[in-house]
Amino acid sequence: MDITIHQTYLPQDDPDAALGFYRDILGFEVRNDVGYNGLRWITVGPVGQPGTSIVLHPPAADPGVTDEERRTIVEMMAKGTYAAINLATNDLDSTFEKLQAGDVEVVQEPTDQPYGVRDCAFRDPAGNMVRIQELR
């Protein structure tokens, strides 16, 4: 089989803040920005990797989600427990310094984990956990 990861989805509740984070702080390129009924779906991805994208979507837009589920999603997003993504870089310390200068919410400074990776963690404007691992 020849399978790749094409897109992943992360919720966003403020499209402009999401753009400011993923485009302006992380340096991802915007590949699509679609509005419908006052909501926006924004596709971003790392420069030079056109086959891998993140779709930043409004979490309550799915018609199959009940009002109770919407409330739960909002609560989980506020706590930062709804969604997460792991990214990777060759130079974790330099990347961390740039992110910290971008005034992001740091959850964990670069740390050597007991399970063999060196990583850091922070939250995006919607509360999603973003971990960045150093490639070895």
Side-chain angles (χ1 to χ4, degrees), residues 35-48:
Y36 180 74
N37 283 343
L39 302 173
R40 283 170 64 194
W41 289 256
I42 303 164
T43 304
V44 298
V47 175

Side-chain angles (χ1 to χ4, degrees), residues 7-23:
Q7 293 176 330
T8 190
Y9 288 75
L10 288 177
Q12 55 82 10
D13 52 8
D14 181 337
D16 294 327
L19 271 175
F21 180 80
Y22 286 95
R23 179 192 60 205

Side-chain angles (χ1 to χ4, degrees), residues 26 89-100 120 122 132:
L26 285 182
T89 183
N90 287 314
D91 185 350
L92 183 63
D93 293 319
S94 175
T95 299
F96 180 79
E97 286 178 21
K98 290 176 187 172
L99 292 170
Q100 197 171 30
C120 66
F122 51 95
I132 300 181

Side-chain angles (χ1 to χ4, degrees), residues 5-120:
I5 296 172
H6 180 63
Q7 293 176 330
T8 190
Y9 288 75
L10 288 177
Q12 55 82 10
D13 52 8
D14 181 337
D16 294 327
L19 271 175
F21 180 80
Y22 286 95
R23 179 192 60 205
D24 302 337
I25 295 175
L26 285 182
F28 287 174
E29 63 186 8
V30 177
R31 301 197 176 136
N32 206 358
D33 189 339
V34 178
Y36 180 74
N37 283 343
L39 302 173
R40 283 170 64 194
W41 289 256
I42 303 164
T43 304
V44 298
V47 175
Q49 297 180 44
T52 303
S53 297
I54 301 168
V55 179
L56 305 167
H57 68 95
D62 185 343
V65 176
T66 67
D67 288 341
E68 182 178 340
E69 290 168 333
R70 280 187 181 84
R71 284 190 294 278
T72 300
I73 290 168
V74 168
E75 290 171 6
M76 291 179 71
M77 285 176 66
K79 290 176 22 181
T81 58
Y82 184 67
I85 190 166
N86 289 357
L87 306 173
T89 183
N90 287 314
D91 185 350
L92 183 63
D93 293 319
S94 175
T95 299
F96 180 79
E97 286 178 21
K98 290 176 187 172
L99 292 170
Q100 197 171 30
D103 196 29
V104 300
E105 181 186 345
V106 175
V107 175
Q108 174 205 301
E109 294 188 4
T111 303
D112 290 315
Q113 300 292 355
Y115 43 87
V117 302
R118 179 172 169 74
D119 69 356
C120 66

